[in-house]
Each structure stands twice: as C-alpha cells, then as structure tokens.
PDB file of all heavy atoms in Angstrom:
ATOM      1  N   THR A   1      28.486  -0.493  10.085  1.00 91.00           N
ATOM      2  CA  THR A   1      27.941  -0.107   8.789  1.00 91.00           C
ATOM      3  C   THR A   1      26.717   0.778   9.010  1.00 91.00           C
ATOM      4  O   THR A   1      25.973   0.587   9.965  1.00 91.00           O
ATOM      5  CB  THR A   1      27.557  -1.325   7.942  1.00 91.00           C
ATOM      6  OG1 THR A   1      26.563  -2.096   8.630  1.00 91.00           O
ATOM      7  CG2 THR A   1      28.772  -2.208   7.696  1.00 91.00           C
ATOM      8  N   PRO A   2      26.493   1.752   8.129  1.00 93.00           N
ATOM      9  CA  PRO A   2      25.389   2.697   8.339  1.00 93.00           C
ATOM     10  C   PRO A   2      24.025   2.016   8.263  1.00 93.00           C
ATOM     11  O   PRO A   2      23.857   0.970   7.622  1.00 93.00           O
ATOM     12  CB  PRO A   2      25.562   3.700   7.191  1.00 93.00           C
ATOM     13  CG  PRO A   2      26.963   3.524   6.715  1.00 93.00           C
ATOM     14  CD  PRO A   2      27.308   2.090   6.949  1.00 93.00           C
ATOM     15  N   VAL A   3      23.061   2.640   8.908  1.00 93.00           N
ATOM     16  CA  VAL A   3      21.667   2.235   8.768  1.00 93.00           C
ATOM     17  C   VAL A   3      21.134   2.876   7.493  1.00 93.00           C
ATOM     18  O   VAL A   3      21.149   4.106   7.355  1.00 93.00           O
ATOM     19  CB  VAL A   3      20.824   2.695   9.977  1.00 93.00           C
ATOM     20  CG1 VAL A   3      19.370   2.277   9.796  1.00 93.00           C
ATOM     21  CG2 VAL A   3      21.391   2.123  11.271  1.00 93.00           C
ATOM     22  N   ASP A   4      20.695   2.062   6.550  1.00 92.00           N
ATOM     23  CA  ASP A   4      20.271   2.569   5.243  1.00 92.00           C
ATOM     24  C   ASP A   4      18.827   3.060   5.332  1.00 92.00           C
ATOM     25  O   ASP A   4      17.883   2.380   4.923  1.00 92.00           O
ATOM     26  CB  ASP A   4      20.408   1.482   4.177  1.00 92.00           C
ATOM     27  CG  ASP A   4      20.371   2.056   2.769  1.00 92.00           C
ATOM     28  OD1 ASP A   4      20.003   3.241   2.625  1.00 92.00           O
ATOM     29  OD2 ASP A   4      20.703   1.332   1.812  1.00 92.00           O
ATOM     30  N   VAL A   5      18.675   4.254   5.874  1.00 92.00           N
ATOM     31  CA  VAL A   5      17.343   4.806   6.119  1.00 92.00           C
ATOM     32  C   VAL A   5      16.554   4.953   4.825  1.00 92.00           C
ATOM     33  O   VAL A   5      15.342   4.678   4.779  1.00 92.00           O
ATOM     34  CB  VAL A   5      17.463   6.177   6.821  1.00 92.00           C
ATOM     35  CG1 VAL A   5      16.093   6.840   6.926  1.00 92.00           C
ATOM     36  CG2 VAL A   5      18.072   6.011   8.203  1.00 92.00           C
ATOM     37  N   LEU A   6      17.204   5.376   3.752  1.00 91.00           N
ATOM     38  CA  LEU A   6      16.489   5.647   2.508  1.00 91.00           C
ATOM     39  C   LEU A   6      15.971   4.377   1.845  1.00 91.00           C
ATOM     40  O   LEU A   6      15.159   4.444   0.918  1.00 91.00           O
ATOM     41  CB  LEU A   6      17.387   6.422   1.542  1.00 91.00           C
ATOM     42  CG  LEU A   6      17.798   7.813   2.026  1.00 91.00           C
ATOM     43  CD1 LEU A   6      18.663   8.511   0.988  1.00 91.00           C
ATOM     44  CD2 LEU A   6      16.578   8.659   2.343  1.00 91.00           C
ATOM     45  N   GLU A   7      16.419   3.231   2.310  1.00 86.00           N
ATOM     46  CA  GLU A   7      15.872   1.961   1.834  1.00 86.00           C
ATOM     47  C   GLU A   7      14.960   1.341   2.878  1.00 86.00           C
ATOM     48  O   GLU A   7      14.635   0.151   2.805  1.00 86.00           O
ATOM     49  CB  GLU A   7      17.010   0.999   1.476  1.00 86.00           C
ATOM     50  CG  GLU A   7      17.848   1.425   0.284  1.00 86.00           C
ATOM     51  CD  GLU A   7      17.038   1.509  -1.002  1.00 86.00           C
ATOM     52  OE1 GLU A   7      16.106   0.693  -1.172  1.00 86.00           O
ATOM     53  OE2 GLU A   7      17.331   2.391  -1.826  1.00 86.00           O
ATOM     54  N   GLY A   8      14.562   2.130   3.862  1.00 81.00           N
ATOM     55  CA  GLY A   8      13.639   1.638   4.874  1.00 81.00           C
ATOM     56  C   GLY A   8      14.293   0.980   6.062  1.00 81.00           C
ATOM     57  O   GLY A   8      13.603   0.470   6.947  1.00 81.00           O
ATOM     58  N   ALA A   9      15.644   0.954   6.081  1.00 80.00           N
ATOM     59  CA  ALA A   9      16.398   0.345   7.192  1.00 80.00           C
ATOM     60  C   ALA A   9      16.003  -1.109   7.403  1.00 80.00           C
ATOM     61  O   ALA A   9      15.951  -1.604   8.526  1.00 80.00           O
ATOM     62  CB  ALA A   9      16.189   1.157   8.474  1.00 80.00           C
ATOM     63  N   ASP A  10      15.737  -1.819   6.295  1.00 80.00           N
ATOM     64  CA  ASP A  10      15.273  -3.208   6.407  1.00 80.00           C
ATOM     65  C   ASP A  10      16.278  -4.117   7.087  1.00 80.00           C
ATOM     66  O   ASP A  10      15.910  -5.116   7.701  1.00 80.00           O
ATOM     67  CB  ASP A  10      14.959  -3.768   5.013  1.00 80.00           C
ATOM     68  CG  ASP A  10      13.732  -3.120   4.392  1.00 80.00           C
ATOM     69  OD1 ASP A  10      12.927  -2.567   5.162  1.00 80.00           O
ATOM     70  OD2 ASP A  10      13.582  -3.175   3.156  1.00 80.00           O
ATOM     71  N   GLU A  11      17.564  -3.756   6.987  1.00 74.00           N
ATOM     72  CA  GLU A  11      18.596  -4.657   7.515  1.00 74.00           C
ATOM     73  C   GLU A  11      18.610  -4.699   9.037  1.00 74.00           C
ATOM     74  O   GLU A  11      19.162  -5.638   9.624  1.00 74.00           O
ATOM     75  CB  GLU A  11      19.983  -4.257   6.977  1.00 74.00           C
ATOM     76  CG  GLU A  11      20.579  -2.987   7.587  1.00 74.00           C
ATOM     77  CD  GLU A  11      20.058  -1.704   6.970  1.00 74.00           C
ATOM     78  OE1 GLU A  11      19.083  -1.764   6.188  1.00 74.00           O
ATOM     79  OE2 GLU A  11      20.624  -0.646   7.271  1.00 74.00           O
ATOM     80  N   VAL A  12      18.007  -3.715   9.685  1.00 77.00           N
ATOM     81  CA  VAL A  12      18.016  -3.690  11.146  1.00 77.00           C
ATOM     82  C   VAL A  12      16.613  -3.601  11.744  1.00 77.00           C
ATOM     83  O   VAL A  12      16.441  -3.732  12.946  1.00 77.00           O
ATOM     84  CB  VAL A  12      18.867  -2.519  11.695  1.00 77.00           C
ATOM     85  CG1 VAL A  12      20.320  -2.664  11.260  1.00 77.00           C
ATOM     86  CG2 VAL A  12      18.317  -1.172  11.242  1.00 77.00           C
ATOM     87  N   ARG A  13      15.624  -3.388  10.917  1.00 74.00           N
ATOM     88  CA  ARG A  13      14.251  -3.263  11.414  1.00 74.00           C
ATOM     89  C   ARG A  13      13.684  -4.635  11.739  1.00 74.00           C
ATOM     90  O   ARG A  13      13.916  -5.609  11.017  1.00 74.00           O
ATOM     91  CB  ARG A  13      13.387  -2.599  10.341  1.00 74.00           C
ATOM     92  CG  ARG A  13      11.977  -2.245  10.781  1.00 74.00           C
ATOM     93  CD  ARG A  13      11.163  -1.718   9.614  1.00 74.00           C
ATOM     94  NE  ARG A  13      10.910  -2.760   8.636  1.00 74.00           N
ATOM     95  CZ  ARG A  13      10.411  -2.551   7.431  1.00 74.00           C
ATOM     96  NH1 ARG A  13      10.137  -1.331   7.043  1.00 74.00           N
ATOM     97  NH2 ARG A  13      10.209  -3.554   6.609  1.00 74.00           N
ATOM     98  N   ASP A  14      12.949  -4.711  12.822  1.00 71.00           N
ATOM     99  CA  ASP A  14      12.272  -5.959  13.148  1.00 71.00           C
ATOM    100  C   ASP A  14      11.311  -6.326  12.025  1.00 71.00           C
ATOM    101  O   ASP A  14      10.686  -5.464  11.405  1.00 71.00           O
ATOM    102  CB  ASP A  14      11.473  -5.822  14.455  1.00 71.00           C
ATOM    103  CG  ASP A  14      12.376  -5.792  15.674  1.00 71.00           C
ATOM    104  OD1 ASP A  14      13.541  -6.211  15.554  1.00 71.00           O
ATOM    105  OD2 ASP A  14      11.919  -5.344  16.736  1.00 71.00           O
ATOM    106  N   ASP A  15      11.194  -7.647  11.775  1.00 69.00           N
ATOM    107  CA  ASP A  15      10.242  -8.102  10.766  1.00 69.00           C
ATOM    108  C   ASP A  15       8.837  -7.684  11.166  1.00 69.00           C
ATOM    109  O   ASP A  15       8.434  -7.811  12.329  1.00 69.00           O
ATOM    110  CB  ASP A  15      10.299  -9.626  10.623  1.00 69.00           C
ATOM    111  CG  ASP A  15      11.581 -10.088   9.955  1.00 69.00           C
ATOM    112  OD1 ASP A  15      12.183  -9.287   9.229  1.00 69.00           O
ATOM    113  OD2 ASP A  15      11.971 -11.258  10.161  1.00 69.00           O
ATOM    114  N   ILE A  16       8.106  -7.178  10.213  1.00 74.00           N
ATOM    115  CA  ILE A  16       6.740  -6.749  10.478  1.00 74.00           C
ATOM    116  C   ILE A  16       5.904  -7.095   9.251  1.00 74.00           C
ATOM    117  O   ILE A  16       6.357  -6.948   8.118  1.00 74.00           O
ATOM    118  CB  ILE A  16       6.689  -5.234  10.801  1.00 74.00           C
ATOM    119  CG1 ILE A  16       5.299  -4.834  11.263  1.00 74.00           C
ATOM    120  CG2 ILE A  16       7.155  -4.395   9.643  1.00 74.00           C
ATOM    121  CD1 ILE A  16       5.260  -3.459  11.908  1.00 74.00           C
ATOM    122  N   ASP A  17       4.716  -7.607   9.478  1.00 73.00           N
ATOM    123  CA  ASP A  17       3.880  -8.042   8.370  1.00 73.00           C
ATOM    124  C   ASP A  17       3.484  -6.856   7.498  1.00 73.00           C
ATOM    125  O   ASP A  17       3.274  -5.739   7.984  1.00 73.00           O
ATOM    126  CB  ASP A  17       2.612  -8.722   8.890  1.00 73.00           C
ATOM    127  CG  ASP A  17       2.915 -10.040   9.592  1.00 73.00           C
ATOM    128  OD1 ASP A  17       3.964 -10.637   9.284  1.00 73.00           O
ATOM    129  OD2 ASP A  17       2.102 -10.462  10.433  1.00 73.00           O
ATOM    130  N   ASP A  18       3.372  -7.110   6.191  1.00 73.00           N
ATOM    131  CA  ASP A  18       2.893  -6.077   5.290  1.00 73.00           C
ATOM    132  C   ASP A  18       1.449  -5.734   5.635  1.00 73.00           C
ATOM    133  O   ASP A  18       0.630  -6.631   5.871  1.00 73.00           O
ATOM    134  CB  ASP A  18       2.966  -6.539   3.832  1.00 73.00           C
ATOM    135  CG  ASP A  18       4.399  -6.673   3.345  1.00 73.00           C
ATOM    136  OD1 ASP A  18       5.269  -5.981   3.897  1.00 73.00           O
ATOM    137  OD2 ASP A  18       4.639  -7.469   2.411  1.00 73.00           O
ATOM    138  N   PRO A  19       1.113  -4.444   5.679  1.00 75.00           N
ATOM    139  CA  PRO A  19      -0.254  -4.067   6.052  1.00 75.00           C
ATOM    140  C   PRO A  19      -1.255  -4.396   4.954  1.00 75.00           C
ATOM    141  O   PRO A  19      -0.961  -4.269   3.763  1.00 75.00           O
ATOM    142  CB  PRO A  19      -0.152  -2.548   6.260  1.00 75.00           C
ATOM    143  CG  PRO A  19       0.993  -2.131   5.404  1.00 75.00           C
ATOM    144  CD  PRO A  19       1.970  -3.284   5.420  1.00 75.00           C
ATOM    145  N   ASP A  20      -2.424  -4.859   5.351  1.00 79.00           N
ATOM    146  CA  ASP A  20      -3.489  -5.122   4.396  1.00 79.00           C
ATOM    147  C   ASP A  20      -4.067  -3.814   3.882  1.00 79.00           C
ATOM    148  O   ASP A  20      -4.084  -2.802   4.582  1.00 79.00           O
ATOM    149  CB  ASP A  20      -4.610  -5.941   5.050  1.00 79.00           C
ATOM    150  CG  ASP A  20      -4.142  -7.329   5.470  1.00 79.00           C
ATOM    151  OD1 ASP A  20      -3.225  -7.871   4.803  1.00 79.00           O
ATOM    152  OD2 ASP A  20      -4.689  -7.865   6.450  1.00 79.00           O
ATOM    153  N   GLU A  21      -4.545  -3.846   2.643  1.00 83.00           N
ATOM    154  CA  GLU A  21      -5.211  -2.666   2.113  1.00 83.00           C
ATOM    155  C   GLU A  21      -6.542  -2.469   2.836  1.00 83.00           C
ATOM    156  O   GLU A  21      -7.241  -3.433   3.146  1.00 83.00           O
ATOM    157  CB  GLU A  21      -5.458  -2.808   0.609  1.00 83.00           C
ATOM    158  CG  GLU A  21      -4.216  -2.601  -0.226  1.00 83.00           C
ATOM    159  CD  GLU A  21      -4.541  -2.380  -1.695  1.00 83.00           C
ATOM    160  OE1 GLU A  21      -5.734  -2.535  -2.076  1.00 83.00           O
ATOM    161  OE2 GLU A  21      -3.629  -2.062  -2.462  1.00 83.00           O
ATOM    162  N   PRO A  22      -6.911  -1.218   3.089  1.00 82.00           N
ATOM    163  CA  PRO A  22      -8.191  -0.971   3.762  1.00 82.00           C
ATOM    164  C   PRO A  22      -9.360  -1.159   2.817  1.00 82.00           C
ATOM    165  O   PRO A  22      -9.198  -1.163   1.585  1.00 82.00           O
ATOM    166  CB  PRO A  22      -8.062   0.493   4.188  1.00 82.00           C
ATOM    167  CG  PRO A  22      -7.187   1.102   3.138  1.00 82.00           C
ATOM    168  CD  PRO A  22      -6.189   0.026   2.770  1.00 82.00           C
ATOM    169  N   GLU A  23     -10.529  -1.309   3.387  1.00 82.00           N
ATOM    170  CA  GLU A  23     -11.741  -1.318   2.587  1.00 82.00           C
ATOM    171  C   GLU A  23     -11.989   0.091   2.043  1.00 82.00           C
ATOM    172  O   GLU A  23     -11.756   1.083   2.727  1.00 82.00           O
ATOM    173  CB  GLU A  23     -12.933  -1.753   3.434  1.00 82.00           C
ATOM    174  CG  GLU A  23     -12.864  -3.201   3.913  1.00 82.00           C
ATOM    175  CD  GLU A  23     -13.014  -4.192   2.778  1.00 82.00           C
ATOM    176  OE1 GLU A  23     -13.691  -3.840   1.778  1.00 82.00           O
ATOM    177  OE2 GLU A  23     -12.461  -5.299   2.877  1.00 82.00           O
ATOM    178  N   ALA A  24     -12.445   0.160   0.807  1.00 80.00           N
ATOM    179  CA  ALA A  24     -12.724   1.457   0.207  1.00 80.00           C
ATOM    180  C   ALA A  24     -13.943   2.091   0.861  1.00 80.00           C
ATOM    181  O   ALA A  24     -14.845   1.402   1.344  1.00 80.00           O
ATOM    182  CB  ALA A  24     -12.952   1.304  -1.289  1.00 80.00           C
ATOM    183  N   ASP A  25     -13.959   3.419   0.874  1.00 82.00           N
ATOM    184  CA  ASP A  25     -15.129   4.151   1.330  1.00 82.00           C
ATOM    185  C   ASP A  25     -16.314   3.777   0.427  1.00 82.00           C
ATOM    186  O   ASP A  25     -16.187   3.806  -0.803  1.00 82.00           O
ATOM    187  CB  ASP A  25     -14.843   5.651   1.227  1.00 82.00           C
ATOM    188  CG  ASP A  25     -15.940   6.507   1.839  1.00 82.00           C
ATOM    189  OD1 ASP A  25     -17.123   6.161   1.686  1.00 82.00           O
ATOM    190  OD2 ASP A  25     -15.607   7.536   2.463  1.00 82.00           O
ATOM    191  N   PRO A  26     -17.456   3.417   0.990  1.00 85.00           N
ATOM    192  CA  PRO A  26     -18.615   3.059   0.148  1.00 85.00           C
ATOM    193  C   PRO A  26     -18.968   4.137  -0.870  1.00 85.00           C
ATOM    194  O   PRO A  26     -19.447   3.825  -1.965  1.00 85.00           O
ATOM    195  CB  PRO A  26     -19.735   2.860   1.175  1.00 85.00           C
ATOM    196  CG  PRO A  26     -19.037   2.476   2.436  1.00 85.00           C
ATOM    197  CD  PRO A  26     -17.743   3.244   2.424  1.00 85.00           C
ATOM    198  N   ASP A  27     -18.719   5.408  -0.535  1.00 84.00           N
ATOM    199  CA  ASP A  27     -19.023   6.493  -1.471  1.00 84.00           C
ATOM    200  C   ASP A  27     -18.130   6.450  -2.701  1.00 84.00           C
ATOM    201  O   ASP A  27     -18.460   7.055  -3.734  1.00 84.00           O
ATOM    202  CB  ASP A  27     -18.853   7.853  -0.779  1.00 84.00           C
ATOM    203  CG  ASP A  27     -19.926   8.109   0.267  1.00 84.00           C
ATOM    204  OD1 ASP A  27     -20.966   7.414   0.227  1.00 84.00           O
ATOM    205  OD2 ASP A  27     -19.712   8.985   1.126  1.00 84.00           O
ATOM    206  N   ASP A  28     -17.008   5.754  -2.601  1.00 85.00           N
ATOM    207  CA  ASP A  28     -16.061   5.681  -3.721  1.00 85.00           C
ATOM    208  C   ASP A  28     -16.177   4.384  -4.507  1.00 85.00           C
ATOM    209  O   ASP A  28     -15.413   4.161  -5.452  1.00 85.00           O
ATOM    210  CB  ASP A  28     -14.626   5.826  -3.204  1.00 85.00           C
ATOM    211  CG  ASP A  28     -14.404   7.145  -2.488  1.00 85.00           C
ATOM    212  OD1 ASP A  28     -14.929   8.155  -2.973  1.00 85.00           O
ATOM    213  OD2 ASP A  28     -13.734   7.151  -1.438  1.00 85.00           O
ATOM    214  N   ALA A  29     -17.101   3.513  -4.129  1.00 85.00           N
ATOM    215  CA  ALA A  29     -17.202   2.194  -4.760  1.00 85.00           C
ATOM    216  C   ALA A  29     -17.439   2.309  -6.265  1.00 85.00           C
ATOM    217  O   ALA A  29     -16.838   1.578  -7.065  1.00 85.00           O
ATOM    218  CB  ALA A  29     -18.306   1.373  -4.100  1.00 85.00           C
ATOM    219  N   HIS A  30     -18.310   3.235  -6.664  1.00 85.00           N
ATOM    220  CA  HIS A  30     -18.615   3.374  -8.091  1.00 85.00           C
ATOM    221  C   HIS A  30     -17.379   3.816  -8.865  1.00 85.00           C
ATOM    222  O   HIS A  30     -17.070   3.269  -9.937  1.00 85.00           O
ATOM    223  CB  HIS A  30     -19.743   4.377  -8.289  1.00 85.00           C
ATOM    224  CG  HIS A  30     -20.082   4.613  -9.735  1.00 85.00           C
ATOM    225  ND1 HIS A  30     -20.791   3.703 -10.497  1.00 85.00           N
ATOM    226  CD2 HIS A  30     -19.777   5.644 -10.573  1.00 85.00           C
ATOM    227  CE1 HIS A  30     -20.923   4.160 -11.727  1.00 85.00           C
ATOM    228  NE2 HIS A  30     -20.317   5.339 -11.800  1.00 85.00           N
ATOM    229  N   LEU A  31     -16.653   4.792  -8.332  1.00 88.00           N
ATOM    230  CA  LEU A  31     -15.440   5.275  -9.006  1.00 88.00           C
ATOM    231  C   LEU A  31     -14.421   4.152  -9.134  1.00 88.00           C
ATOM    232  O   LEU A  31     -13.804   3.987 -10.192  1.00 88.00           O
ATOM    233  CB  LEU A  31     -14.843   6.448  -8.230  1.00 88.00           C
ATOM    234  CG  LEU A  31     -13.497   6.974  -8.731  1.00 88.00           C
ATOM    235  CD1 LEU A  31     -13.602   7.453 -10.171  1.00 88.00           C
ATOM    236  CD2 LEU A  31     -12.984   8.084  -7.821  1.00 88.00           C
ATOM    237  N   ILE A  32     -14.238   3.387  -8.083  1.00 89.00           N
ATOM    238  CA  ILE A  32     -13.283   2.278  -8.131  1.00 89.00           C
ATOM    239  C   ILE A  32     -13.700   1.259  -9.184  1.00 89.00           C
ATOM    240  O   ILE A  32     -12.859   0.724  -9.934  1.00 89.00           O
ATOM    241  CB  ILE A  32     -13.159   1.640  -6.736  1.00 89.00           C
ATOM    242  CG1 ILE A  32     -12.452   2.613  -5.787  1.00 89.00           C
ATOM    243  CG2 ILE A  32     -12.392   0.314  -6.807  1.00 89.00           C
ATOM    244  CD1 ILE A  32     -12.421   2.158  -4.348  1.00 89.00           C
ATOM    245  N   THR A  33     -15.000   0.996  -9.283  1.00 90.00           N
ATOM    246  CA  THR A  33     -15.497   0.071 -10.300  1.00 90.00           C
ATOM    247  C   THR A  33     -15.171   0.569 -11.700  1.00 90.00           C
ATOM    248  O   THR A  33     -14.710  -0.198 -12.562  1.00 90.00           O
ATOM    249  CB  THR A  33     -17.018  -0.111 -10.155  1.00 90.00           C
ATOM    250  OG1 THR A  33     -17.303  -0.668  -8.875  1.00 90.00           O
ATOM    251  CG2 THR A  33     -17.561  -1.041 -11.236  1.00 90.00           C
ATOM    252  N   VAL A  34     -15.382   1.864 -11.941  1.00 90.00           N
ATOM    253  CA  VAL A  34     -15.095   2.440 -13.258  1.00 90.00           C
ATOM    254  C   VAL A  34     -13.608   2.373 -13.572  1.00 90.00           C
ATOM    255  O   VAL A  34     -13.204   1.959 -14.669  1.00 90.00           O
ATOM    256  CB  VAL A  34     -15.594   3.905 -13.317  1.00 90.00           C
ATOM    257  CG1 VAL A  34     -15.102   4.581 -14.601  1.00 90.00           C
ATOM    258  CG2 VAL A  34     -17.100   3.955 -13.227  1.00 90.00           C
ATOM    259  N   LEU A  35     -12.767   2.762 -12.623  1.00 92.00           N
ATOM    260  CA  LEU A  35     -11.323   2.737 -12.860  1.00 92.00           C
ATOM    261  C   LEU A  35     -10.819   1.314 -13.095  1.00 92.00           C
ATOM    262  O   LEU A  35      -9.947   1.081 -13.936  1.00 92.00           O
ATOM    263  CB  LEU A  35     -10.591   3.366 -11.674  1.00 92.00           C
ATOM    264  CG  LEU A  35     -10.765   4.882 -11.505  1.00 92.00           C
ATOM    265  CD1 LEU A  35     -10.135   5.345 -10.194  1.00 92.00           C
ATOM    266  CD2 LEU A  35     -10.158   5.635 -12.678  1.00 92.00           C
ATOM    267  N   THR A  36     -11.363   0.367 -12.363  1.00 91.00           N
ATOM    268  CA  THR A  36     -10.976  -1.030 -12.557  1.00 91.00           C
ATOM    269  C   THR A  36     -11.399  -1.504 -13.938  1.00 91.00           C
ATOM    270  O   THR A  36     -10.652  -2.218 -14.622  1.00 91.00           O
ATOM    271  CB  THR A  36     -11.610  -1.910 -11.468  1.00 91.00           C
ATOM    272  OG1 THR A  36     -11.212  -1.433 -10.184  1.00 91.00           O
ATOM    273  CG2 THR A  36     -11.182  -3.360 -11.624  1.00 91.00           C
ATOM    274  N   ARG A  37     -12.587  -1.104 -14.376  1.00 91.00           N
ATOM    275  CA  ARG A  37     -13.094  -1.512 -15.693  1.00 91.00           C
ATOM    276  C   ARG A  37     -12.191  -1.035 -16.824  1.00 91.00           C
ATOM    277  O   ARG A  37     -11.980  -1.758 -17.801  1.00 91.00           O
ATOM    278  CB  ARG A  37     -14.517  -0.974 -15.891  1.00 91.00           C
ATOM    279  CG  ARG A  37     -15.069  -1.186 -17.297  1.00 91.00           C
ATOM    280  CD  ARG A  37     -16.499  -0.698 -17.412  1.00 91.00           C
ATOM    281  NE  ARG A  37     -16.641   0.722 -17.148  1.00 91.00           N
ATOM    282  CZ  ARG A  37     -16.327   1.689 -18.020  1.00 91.00           C
ATOM    283  NH1 ARG A  37     -15.828   1.376 -19.214  1.00 91.00           N
ATOM    284  NH2 ARG A  37     -16.503   2.957 -17.703  1.00 91.00           N
ATOM    285  N   VAL A  38     -11.644   0.172 -16.701  1.00 89.00           N
ATOM    286  CA  VAL A  38     -10.825   0.697 -17.797  1.00 89.00           C
ATOM    287  C   VAL A  38      -9.357   0.273 -17.670  1.00 89.00           C
ATOM    288  O   VAL A  38      -8.525   0.701 -18.481  1.00 89.00           O
ATOM    289  CB  VAL A  38     -10.932   2.234 -17.896  1.00 89.00           C
ATOM    290  CG1 VAL A  38     -12.368   2.646 -18.140  1.00 89.00           C
ATOM    291  CG2 VAL A  38     -10.366   2.925 -16.661  1.00 89.00           C
ATOM    292  N   GLY A  39      -9.029  -0.526 -16.666  1.00 89.00           N
ATOM    293  CA  GLY A  39      -7.689  -1.110 -16.637  1.00 89.00           C
ATOM    294  C   GLY A  39      -6.770  -0.645 -15.532  1.00 89.00           C
ATOM    295  O   GLY A  39      -5.562  -0.882 -15.591  1.00 89.00           O
ATOM    296  N   PHE A  40      -7.317   0.009 -14.502  1.00 91.00           N
ATOM    297  CA  PHE A  40      -6.486   0.448 -13.390  1.00 91.00           C
ATOM    298  C   PHE A  40      -6.648  -0.486 -12.192  1.00 91.00           C
ATOM    299  O   PHE A  40      -7.736  -1.018 -11.947  1.00 91.00           O
ATOM    300  CB  PHE A  40      -6.856   1.870 -12.950  1.00 91.00           C
ATOM    301  CG  PHE A  40      -6.331   2.940 -13.858  1.00 91.00           C
ATOM    302  CD1 PHE A  40      -7.107   3.420 -14.909  1.00 91.00           C
ATOM    303  CD2 PHE A  40      -5.057   3.463 -13.679  1.00 91.00           C
ATOM    304  CE1 PHE A  40      -6.626   4.402 -15.755  1.00 91.00           C
ATOM    305  CE2 PHE A  40      -4.576   4.446 -14.511  1.00 91.00           C
ATOM    306  CZ  PHE A  40      -5.356   4.918 -15.555  1.00 91.00           C
TER     307      PHE A  40
END
C-alpha cells in the first residue's frame, strides 16, 4: 500500500512526541498580550 505522504505518512513514521511551542520573543510579548485580550 502507498505511503500517504500528504497525510504526513503517519502509518509508517516512527512515533515522535509533538513539539512544544517555543517561548515568544520578549519584544513581542506586548503584541501577544493584546491579541490574546481581543480573543486570539
């Protein structure tokens, strides 16, 4: 059966943990606060 590349080939790829989100750049902290406040 084909390797379903367009779906990430999950059926044959070794299990790998989901990557954690990185810490935001301190220069962007204010923008992130504003966007979070308005619902993003």
Side-chain angles (χ1 to χ4, degrees):
T1 60
V3 179
D4 197 347
V5 173
L6 296 181
E7 293 298 326
D10 291 339
E11 73 278 10
V12 298
R13 187 185 68 191
D14 287 342
D15 289 336
I16 188 166
D17 293 336
D18 291 334
D20 296 330
E21 284 195 352
E23 294 291 331
D25 187 321
D27 290 343
D28 300 320
H30 178 75
L31 174 60
I32 291 173
T33 299
V34 171
L35 290 173
T36 303
R37 172 177 61 78
V38 300
F40 283 92

